[in-house]
Amino acid sequence: MAESLITQIADTADILKRFLGERHPVCALVLGSGLNFYADTLEDRSVLPYKDVPHMKVSTAVGHKGQFVLGKVPRTEVWVICMQGRLHGYEGVTAQDVALPVWALHEAGIDTLVTTNAAGALNPAFKVGSFCAMTDHINMTGRNPVAHTEANQIAERFVPMLDAYDPHLRALLLDVAAAEQVDVNEGVYLGLLGPSFETPAEIRVFSQWADTVAMSVVEEVIAARHVGMRVVGLSLVSNMGCGIEGASPNSDEVMDVAETVKPAFKALMDGFIVRIAEAPVAE
Ligand code: HPA
């Protein structure tokens, strides 16, 4: 029989605690498609492959390496733990599989989740190659990691979702974006299961509701809020939604655009993580 979810979280957290040792990351950073390079730019890196963590599923998506990377923002003493490669529901894993590392990182002492991805623009004013800080989300995956018999043993089952994306931290991110001259808008993110891209008819409907769309993030964010973590979500706008300006998104295009924004993403994340370290945790 499979181990209970509580046992899986505890086992994973134990391994993460050992991996961290005396080092205290200011946040966990989930790196989305094309953004995995960021972990390689950190100093004093240590790596923990997901395959060495008993209950973690291994990521299979293109460019998602499948390892935790602990390192310091260059020229600082600020530690961050990256998920270099995330799990997506479309890989055939459960919502709890996606949530497991988030719950375990929290149990290992990390109180802030910064989650990033590549997304299609629903808002026609958004530019490919710009970024969007999430103000809220719409969960259209049809799944929820907290819908589980053991959810109450992890934390209160009915998770409040007002200000799920921390307004104070988002303001810091926008501050860094302005200082670094990186184009960051704000908007509502719509999360789908995938893996098919949306149809033009779906994009027309979703455009009434949200600003960006992709196939990740929402399950991680619900898990993080479930245990009271502060959350920041950032999308790279890698393409216009299907049918907008004739767009027909594909995964090569997503990776190509990500390649062009590496310096901007690096500057933004370095600056932001240092600001998180300086920001007091509100009561
Ligand atoms: N749709 C869904 N997921 C995505 C997209 C998109 O247009 N771009 C990147 N991930």
Side-chain angles (χ1 to χ4, degrees):
M1 205 183 82
E3 309 260 10
S4 78
L5 184 58
I6 300 295
T7 309
Q8 291 188 26
I9 296 168
D11 289 351
T12 305
D14 277 349
I15 290 179
L16 284 170
K17 282 180 206 160
R18 249 177 287 147
F19 176 59
L20 295 177
E22 294 304 307
R23 300 165 295 190
H24 299 291
V26 295
C27 66
L29 173 61
V30 183
L31 294 167
S33 296
L35 304 173
N36 273 225
F37 79 94
Y38 181 76
D40 301 330
T41 70
L42 298 172
E43 279 176 0
D44 298 335
R45 279 187 308 283
S46 322
V47 171
L48 173 64
Y50 298 161
K51 67 174 172 40
D52 296 344
V53 182
H55 309 291
M56 278 282 294
K57 296 288 191 298
V58 174
S59 40
T60 61
V62 184
H64 286 254
K65 277 201 179 154
Q67 53 193 23
F68 293 100
V69 178
L70 175 66
K72 284 195 283 198
V73 175
R75 296 174 299 284
T76 75
E77 290 305 310
V78 178
W79 290 96
V80 54
I81 181 165
C82 298
M83 286 187 64
Q84 198 178 31
R86 65 144 52 79
L87 295 162
H88 307 81
Y90 66 67
E91 295 172 79
V93 301
T94 67
Q96 289 76 33
D97 290 331
V98 174
L100 176 75
V102 176
W103 282 323
L105 284 161
H106 175 258
E107 197 164 313
I110 292 164
D111 64 12
T112 304
L113 178 75
V114 180
T115 180
T116 68
N117 72 352
L122 297 168
N123 184 331
F126 284 3
K127 300 267 179 294
V128 169
S130 68
F131 293 87
C132 182
M134 297 171 202
T135 54
D136 202 347
H137 78 214
I138 298 175
N139 176 10
M140 293 278 288
T141 63
R143 315 184 334 157
N144 191 312
V146 186
H148 188 277
T149 49
E150 292 173 57
N152 263 350
Q153 295 172 53
I154 302 169
E156 159 64 34
R157 158 171 288 145
F158 297 102
V159 183
M161 292 298 282
L162 181 69
D163 285 339
Y165 296 84
D166 191 282
H168 174 65
L169 289 180
R170 185 165 69 253
L172 291 183
L173 175 66
L174 293 172
D175 224 37
V176 176
E180 297 292 339
Q181 296 183 309
V182 180
D183 186 5
V184 183
N185 289 294
E186 291 179 272
V188 174
Y189 168 77
L190 189 143
L192 296 164
L193 188 60
S196 49
F197 283 100
E198 305 71 45
T199 64
E202 288 168 335
I203 291 291
R204 277 197 298 278
V205 175
F206 297 155
S207 301
Q208 310 295 310
W209 300 347
D211 297 286
T212 53
V213 59
M215 308 172 192
S216 59
V217 166
V218 287
E219 289 167 328
E220 293 159 10
V221 170
I222 292 167
R225 291 306 300 150
H226 180 217
V227 290
M229 295 174 86
R230 301 186 299 175
V231 172
V232 176
L234 181 72
S235 296
L236 160 65
V237 176
S238 57
N239 57 277
M240 300 312 286
C242 181
I244 300 179
E245 298 165 8
S248 174
N250 61 69
S251 59
D252 290 345
E253 183 186 359
V254 171
M255 298 308 276
D256 288 350
V257 172
E259 194 62 37
T260 66
V261 302
K262 281 179 166 180
F265 184 74
K266 165 81 179 145
L268 193 56
M269 281 303 114
D270 281 355
F272 181 46
I273 293 164
V274 170
R275 290 291 289 276
I276 296 175
E278 293 163 359
V281 178
E283 289 308 313

